Amino acid sequence: MLTVNEVSKLAGVSVRTLHYYDKIGLLSPTKLTESGYRLYDDTALERLQSILLFRELQFPLKEIKAILDSPNFDKGKALEQQITLLELKKEHIENLIDLARGIKLIGVRPLMDFTAFDTKKIDEYAKQAKESYGNTEAYREFEEKSANRTGEEWTLISTEFMGLFAELGTMRECSPEEERVQAQVEKLRAFITEHYYNCTLEIFEGLGKMYNGGGSMTENIDRAGGAGTAELADKAIQVYCEKRKTAEAG
């Protein structure tokens, strides 16, 4: 684990900023030493990377917190947006460099060209990136529910959420179709609806695939319930959703 000073140097973020992120519940340290020093593990550093990526996309801290705390946060999607934005910024900077070189070579002309300073393309993409998260009923509902929650409340909710996977992990030798496994994923769906947003069958199916899709989400679930828990969650959720769809269609 790294201390707050080591994280500050590694990420180029001030210690004061890291303290503020902790205060608002955006990035909490993994643990505190007996002396009260903050320590961060790889999972915390990965979350910090996501925070900094969204800051590049010009997202406010409040929106970043809501997105990262959402069970259906798609890091792959965020990275794709970040790559596109950086490419746009690269193009913008190269245009500015060309303009500066031209001015150095021939001096300022009476009819100066200011198109190199235009950031409309970058601003428009950043706006679209925000809308891709914010213009969904689930996101708006999540934002409303999370508006007044404290960092401590978020920690408790997250702990309870992972506790459901820990309980599911005790059933890893069971078939996804077994009644008690199905009862557990139903509890999972109800928890998401209560604390995050209305977890429709369509959303729940997508979440199941994401849980088992690799990356930090899969690692966290398997850490909570043991290796194979994320895979069981996915399979059980798909069975659950298929049964509910069949029942509704019938």
Side-chain angles (χ1 to χ4, degrees):
M1 291 194 187
L2 300 180
T3 66
V4 68
N5 285 307
E6 290 171 332
V7 173
S8 174
K9 293 177 182 178
L10 177 67
V13 178
S14 70
V15 171
R16 183 177 179 180
T17 296
L18 292 172
H19 286 178
Y20 180 68
Y21 286 175
D22 183 16
K23 180 180 179 181
I24 65 175
L26 179 59
L27 178 68
S28 300
T30 307
K31 63 181 293 187
L32 296 176
T33 67
E34 293 182 359
S35 302
Y37 292 106
R38 295 170 170 84
L39 295 177
Y40 298 81
D41 63 5
D42 289 344
T43 300
L45 293 177
E46 185 176 349
R47 182 177 173 94
L48 178 58
Q49 281 186 329
S50 295
I51 292 169
L52 297 179
L53 293 179
F54 274 111
R55 291 298 286 162
E56 287 293 332
L57 282 169
Q58 302 173 14
F59 276 54
L61 293 178
K62 180 182 177 181
E63 292 183 18
I64 296 174
K65 185 179 184 304
I67 292 169
L68 295 183
D69 287 339
S70 173
N72 65 337
F73 168 60
D74 187 342
K75 185 178 181 182
K77 175 182 177 182
L79 287 172
E80 286 298 323
Q81 291 175 337
Q82 176 66 8
I83 290 169
T84 300
L85 182 64
L86 289 174
E87 288 174 343
L88 290 173
K89 286 189 174 183
K90 177 184 176 184
E91 178 184 345
H92 176 64
I93 290 172
E94 287 176 343
N95 288 338
L96 289 174
I97 292 172
D98 288 343
L99 175 63
R101 284 175 175 164
I103 293 174
K104 180 181 179 181
L105 179 64
I106 62 176
V108 179
R109 295 187 177 185
L111 297 177
M112 292 183 290
D113 183 4
F114 285 88
T115 57
F117 297 98
D118 189 355
T119 62
K120 288 189 179 69
K121 190 183 294 186
I122 295 174
D123 294 340
E124 180 61 27
Y125 182 79
K127 179 182 177 182
Q128 291 174 3
K130 291 179 184 180
E131 290 176 348
S132 71
Y133 284 97
N135 283 350
T136 65
E137 183 177 345
Y139 179 85
R140 288 191 292 271
E141 184 180 352
F142 175 75
E143 197 170 38
E144 290 174 4
K145 288 185 176 182
S146 65
N148 297 317
R149 285 176 181 162
T150 64
E152 290 78 8
E153 288 173 331
W154 272 119
T155 298
L156 179 60
I157 290 173
S158 298
T159 300
E160 290 178 358
F161 185 58
M162 296 312 295
L164 294 173
F165 288 108
E167 189 175 348
L168 182 63
T170 65
M171 311 172 197
R172 282 174 291 158
E173 301 303 319
C174 300
S175 167
E177 292 86 1
E178 286 193 29
E179 185 175 344
R180 69 189 189 116
V181 176
Q182 287 296 298
Q184 187 64 18
V185 296
E186 186 166 25
K187 286 171 61 178
L188 182 64
R189 183 188 180 195
F191 186 90
I192 294 170
T193 294
E194 179 182 357
H195 296 285
Y196 296 100
Y197 45 73
N198 179 32
C199 188
T200 65
L201 292 177
E202 181 180 3
I203 289 176
F204 203 32
E205 279 183 321
L207 289 175
K209 294 175 182 177
M210 189 179 72
Y211 294 157
N212 192 33
S216 61
M217 180 65 76
T218 301
E219 292 173 3
N220 290 338
I221 291 173
D222 283 351
R223 187 180 299 118
T229 302
E231 182 179 4
L232 174 60
D234 180 21
K235 290 180 178 179
I237 287 172
Q238 304 312 317
V239 170
Y240 174 92
C241 291
E242 188 61 35
K243 285 184 178 179
R244 293 301 182 280
K245 287 181 178 179
T246 301
E248 291 176 3

